[in-house]
Amino acid sequence: MNNVNLNEDQQDCLQEIINVAMGQASDQLARYLDTFVYLKVPSIEQVSAQHLSDTLKYEAQSVAVVSQGFFGYEGIRGEALLMYQPKDSDRLADLLGYEPDELSVEEQIIDLSSILTTTFLNVFASQIDNQMSYSAPRLLFSSNADNNTSSQSSISEHIQHNSFNWDTALKVKISYQVTDYSFNCDMILLIPESAIINITSVIDRILEEY
Amino acid sequence: MSLSVLICDDSNMARKQVLRILPESLSENVQLATNGVEALEILNNQPIDVLFLDLTMPIVDGVGVLQGIKEAGISVNVFVISADIQPEMQNKVLELGAKAFLRKPVQLDVLTTHLKQHDII
Amino acid sequence: MSANPFCTTIAEQLNTGILILDLDYNIVEWNRFFAIHAHKDAKEVIGKNVFTAFPELPQKWFERKLSSVIQLNTQSFCSWEQRHHLFELSHTRPITTDSHFMAQNCTFLPIETDKVISHICILIEDVTDVCHYQTKLNKVLDELAKANRIDGLTQVFNRKHWEECLDKEFSRARRYDHGLALIMFDLDHFKLLNDTYGHQCGDTVLIETAQKISSLLRLCDQFGRYGGEEFAAILPETDLIGAVDVAERICKEIEKLVIKFQDKDIRISTSVGVATINPNDKRYEDLISNADLALYEAKATGRNKVCSAKEIEYILEE
């Protein structure tokens, strides 16, 4: 489908909206977690269902992946994937202000994921005069919880095993780096093609004002 | 007399946002840069009175530009316009010599107030 | 609960628990579902602090959770998979599940009054059913995964899984330049035993021999049934002297082993081949071949003994 391709202006506009959302979300996070979040330019690209697992190759090293669905008015919806690397899971409890044995690593990962996803998307939505609702976050895969010996399964395998009912998705990748705890985590938003068309019309409306 | 202005932001939309709210005295001699390297090149080669600077950019970011300006001893009034509104970041850019920190998306009245405050207009 | 009559009716009829707190964690409102399953009187709950009304709540965790909702003005979740329940509520399947309290999926929603957060709404879904079936499913999956790895008769690793283990250990030993030893066992005159006493006797011998060998290995060693009456053990970070030592000990113990079958005392012995990883081994199959050769040597030179791959090389060189 060609009409889902964003042109340069649309891409730029989306990028700027994401930038502002990222900035405000990071500010809230920084205050809540009492730390500083280092911001990088987010990446936006279109991926085909076939190549999704390829584009997630790097992320395949993740120990844990949390998925959370989001949906707003005007047919804007998608799925957020939060990816954690092995070295980072130890630092989570510290970051969230829990005592070490107060809750499991899985719970910490889910908790932080939900905070990262909802703070970002709330600001994102308010910028385009929308409002988001969320599904409960789910741990898709965690090597910590892995009790079988075939621990080679990874996010790309996990995704490969599903057959999708979409052809193209918009992939937005945002990297969070928390300096005080040297903690990293990637947030990947996947927006299916029917929703891209809806986002595009919202973007066009914003661009008309310029 | 019109002042020379440089707007540095990787987003076309963000540059336009600033352009369309510039007061008259600043809108006659405007140059644009899309990243920190381009901005520093222009700053090193010609006098610029006012720089509107984004922070989160590829190659060299806004903090890198501020450091470059300091190192080269360039005289320019820098107004940071950024989405990265964390207090720590705001303090950092002010310490590095920026005149003010303006949060994105920047509004006309906020920009005017800051420009007046620093005797630019 | 609300001025809107529809909302009131729905909130009261809904099969979801609703609890509304103010920012000081005092309970402002609840719905019928919550009241019924909590078995508490409204007097004990409404206007009371949530920790007083529900002392079972993990206070510190709960406060941290609510503070994220208040501070970030965003919703938060808690799944039964991480915490079976927050509130001690009864559920609708007390007879047919073993769950004492209702398994819960909880959602914490910020509620704004004039654009400022004023309350928190806690939604409680009864997922006792889901929890019950998911737990059952997980158990079955675990059992399936186990069945996939275990030899049904002897309860040690099956050949497929044992070879996967060897594959991993082999690459690990290569990568870190660690030692790795392989011991192969073949029970002596097993066919004769089967022919004389029957297959049930043979099975008993296989089970007891496997048990005996397992008990003589370290926890980190991986032991499996390689074929009919052949067993094999992987000994990580072990050199030839160590492995031969273990093999000799097992060989002697098996010789001493007396297996009871239908009032008869059955005695057996085993031939053993030992090999260690050497620089010429390119694949783990090479290691198996070497151990196999040693095992053949033990068989050919009188049985009930241990031969190692090194000795064979020595013999071949002579």
Side-chain angles (χ1 to χ4, degrees):
Chain A
M1 281 176 103
N2 279 327
N3 56 344
V4 297
N5 280 325
L6 299 185
N7 66 32
E8 209 175 307
D9 279 347
Q10 290 166 334
Q11 173 120 1
D12 178 66
C13 178
L14 179 61
Q15 182 120 13
E16 193 55 15
I17 295 169
I18 289 169
N19 260 328
V20 172
M22 201 169 78
Q24 289 186 29
S26 301
D27 181 52
Q28 285 183 32
L29 273 179
R31 287 167 203 268
Y32 177 66
L33 301 173
D34 196 19
T35 182
F36 178 74
V37 184
Y38 181 73
L39 296 185
K40 281 196 263 189
V41 181
S43 81
I44 302 175
E45 59 174 332
Q46 218 125 264
V47 293
S48 70
Q50 271 173 316
H51 293 122
L52 178 63
S53 54
D54 288 346
T55 64
L56 292 176
K57 264 231 167 82
Y58 162 75
E59 285 86 1
Q61 305 154 6
S62 308
V63 276
V65 179
V66 176
S67 157
Q68 189 166 21
F70 56 89
F71 44 99
Y73 298 117
E74 298 190 73
I76 290 175
R77 64 190 170 85
E79 192 174 334
L81 296 178
L82 276 289
M83 316 243 173
Y84 298 86
Q85 306 297 321
K87 60 183 166 51
D88 296 315
S89 49
D90 309 340
R91 304 201 173 96
L92 271 175
D94 215 13
L95 190 62
L96 290 169
Y98 289 110
E99 296 298 318
D101 37 351
E102 216 170 1
L103 72 178
S104 67
V105 176
E106 280 84 32
E107 193 172 0
Q108 292 164 25
I109 286 175
I110 292 169
D111 226 26
L112 182 66
S113 301
S114 186
I115 288 173
L116 293 174
T117 308
T118 56
T119 46
F120 171 79
L121 285 169
N122 283 349
V123 187
F124 178 83
S126 76
Q127 281 192 86
I128 56 171
D129 294 321
N130 211 312
Q131 198 186 352
M132 290 291 177
S133 298
Y134 306 93
S135 69
R138 274 198 73 89
L139 193 62
L140 287 189
F141 157 76
S142 163
S143 65
N144 292 315
D146 197 355
N147 54 4
N148 63 42
T149 47
S150 58
S151 57
Q152 300 305 311
S153 65
S154 62
I155 179 64
S156 57
E157 266 180 48
H158 189 96
I159 285 170
Q160 242 157 20
H161 288 158
N162 296 314
S163 59
F164 297 111
N165 56 0
W166 50 270
D167 297 325
T168 314
L170 193 67
K171 178 186 163 207
V172 177
K173 182 174 159 185
I174 295 165
S175 298
Y176 287 96
Q177 271 185 297
V178 176
T179 48
D180 293 2
Y181 300 89
S182 354
F183 168 86
N184 300 283
C185 148
D186 289 336
M187 177 162 91
I188 292 178
L189 305 175
L190 293 166
I191 297 158
E193 60 184 283
S194 57
I196 303 175
I197 299 166
N198 299 326
I199 284 195
T200 314
S201 60
V202 171
I203 289 171
D204 285 341
R205 210 165 57 216
I206 295 169
L207 281 169
E208 266 170 36
E209 293 169 23
Y210 284 82
Chain B
M1 190 198 115
S2 79
L3 296 166
S4 59
V5 171
L6 175 61
I7 302 173
C8 177
D9 197 308
D10 56 328
S11 162
N12 181 31
M13 187 172 103
R15 293 193 299 269
K16 277 193 195 163
Q17 235 160 11
V18 178
L19 260 178
R20 66 175 195 163
I21 56 168
L22 278 184
E24 218 168 302
S25 60
L26 292 181
S27 56
E28 280 165 38
N29 183 6
V30 180
Q31 294 182 69
L32 304 172
T34 62
N35 63 53
V37 175
E38 281 180 30
L40 284 171
E41 210 175 282
I42 295 170
L43 287 162
N44 276 313
N45 288 314
Q46 48 187 280
I48 298 289
D49 297 311
V50 182
L51 166 63
F52 296 104
L53 180 66
D54 180 30
L55 292 178
T56 315
M57 290 185 294
I59 317 175
V60 168
D61 64 8
V63 171
V65 173
L66 284 168
Q67 281 162 344
I69 289 170
K70 214 173 175 182
E71 275 162 28
I74 297 165
S75 162
V76 56
N77 293 299
V78 185
F79 292 85
V80 168
I81 301 177
S82 173
D84 190 352
I85 54 171
Q86 296 175 77
E88 199 173 321
M89 187 49 100
Q90 299 200 24
N91 292 335
K92 191 172 182 177
V93 297
L94 294 177
E95 267 167 34
L96 281 168
K99 290 273 184 265
F101 185 101
L102 288 68
R103 65 155 62 197
K104 275 186 179 179
V106 65
Q107 306 295 331
L108 174 64
D109 54 337
V110 178
L111 183 74
T112 313
T113 312
H114 279 286
L115 289 172
K116 277 187 181 151
Q117 206 175 344
H118 293 280
D119 297 324
I120 308 289
I121 51 171
Chain C
M1 290 192 65
S2 155
N4 185 325
F6 288 130
C7 288
T8 312
T9 313
I10 293 165
E12 289 305 294
Q13 295 298 317
L14 206 60
N15 275 337
T16 296
I18 303 174
L19 192 72
I20 296 173
L21 307 182
D22 66 18
L23 300 186
D24 296 320
Y25 309 148
N26 294 315
I27 299 166
V28 175
E29 192 70 86
W30 65 352
N31 72 342
R32 184 171 167 271
F33 180 93
F34 209 112
I36 285 172
H37 292 284
H39 303 288
K40 284 183 203 289
D41 204 82
K43 285 202 295 288
E44 306 166 63
V45 174
I46 304 298
K48 296 280 187 297
N49 185 278
V50 73
F51 301 113
T52 314
F54 298 96
E56 68 266 29
L57 291 176
Q59 183 163 349
K60 214 172 151 220
W61 178 91
F62 199 84
E63 284 175 349
R64 184 72 185 155
K65 195 86 175 169
L66 293 189
S67 82
S68 81
V69 177
I70 296 167
Q71 210 176 324
L72 301 169
N73 196 9
T74 189
Q75 51 189 280
S76 189
F77 301 89
C78 177
S79 155
W80 68 270
E81 285 177 288
Q82 277 71 51
R83 260 163 220 273
H84 180 268
H85 61 268
L86 275 183
F87 296 89
E88 291 180 355
L89 305 177
S90 64
H91 59 87
T92 47
R93 289 196 54 188
I95 311 296
T96 49
T97 67
D98 55 5
S99 210
H100 190 53
F101 295 115
M102 177 196 294
Q104 296 153 22
N105 274 349
C106 310
T107 308
F108 303 84
L109 294 172
I111 296 180
E112 289 184 341
T113 314
D114 302 327
K115 302 220 160 181
V116 179
I117 178 165
S118 61
H119 293 86
I120 296 159
C121 171
I122 304 172
L123 300 175
I124 306 284
E125 274 176 85
D126 181 352
V127 285
T128 312
D129 242 7
V130 177
C131 169
H132 178 68
Y133 291 115
Q134 186 70 45
T135 310
K136 266 190 167 173
L137 179 66
N138 288 348
K139 219 177 131 210
V140 172
L141 286 175
D142 278 352
E143 276 165 13
L144 265 179
K146 195 181 161 219
N148 221 8
R149 298 197 298 264
I150 298 293
D151 174 57
L153 179 69
T154 59
Q155 297 296 306
V156 298
F157 287 158
N158 61 24
R159 162 110 178 234
K160 180 177 161 283
H161 180 65
W162 180 86
E163 272 198 49
E164 282 166 7
C165 292
L166 180 61
D167 192 6
K168 273 185 205 155
E169 288 298 340
F170 188 86
S171 344
R172 193 174 302 163
R174 266 285 111 84
R175 200 170 338 129
Y176 302 110
D177 201 20
H178 284 173
L180 177 66
L182 192 60
I183 308 180
M184 307 267 292
F185 306 88
D186 190 321
L187 305 191
D188 298 328
H189 304 300
F190 188 73
K191 192 175 177 307
L192 188 68
L193 189 93
N194 264 338
D195 292 344
T196 317
Y197 300 105
H199 283 92
Q200 280 188 329
C201 175
D203 287 351
T204 310
V205 168
L206 287 173
I207 293 166
E208 297 214 6
T209 313
Q211 255 175 20
K212 188 74 202 171
I213 300 176
S214 286
S215 72
L216 295 167
L217 292 167
R218 300 171 298 182
L219 218 58
C220 66
D221 300 332
Q222 284 149 326
F223 181 59
R225 185 173 176 198
Y226 193 74
E229 69 268 28
E230 275 185 87
F231 294 94
I234 305 162
L235 283 67
E237 296 186 43
T238 308
D239 61 11
L240 190 67
I241 299 169
V244 168
D245 192 56
V246 173
E248 294 279 6
R249 215 169 57 234
I250 293 173
C251 193
K252 287 203 181 78
E253 289 290 325
I254 296 292
E255 194 184 359
K256 282 194 272 179
L257 188 67
V258 180
I259 298 161
K260 291 247 184 261
F261 181 75
Q262 294 174 349
D263 301 333
K264 284 189 257 324
D265 286 350
I266 313 282
R267 288 173 174 276
I268 47 148
S269 66
T270 178
S271 300
V272 188
V274 183
T276 48
I277 191 165
N278 76 54
N280 297 331
D281 297 342
K282 296 207 166 47
R283 306 172 308 152
Y284 73 88
E285 287 91 341
D286 296 335
L287 188 55
I288 297 182
S289 302
N290 291 339
D292 232 2
L293 274 176
L295 177 60
Y296 178 78
E297 185 66 24
K299 284 266 178 211
T301 56
R303 294 190 172 88
N304 191 19
K305 63 186 283 198
V306 177
C307 277
S308 72
K310 266 277 149 46
E311 284 170 333
I312 298 165
E313 270 169 43
Y314 184 66
I315 293 163
L316 289 175
E317 273 167 30
E318 271 190 337

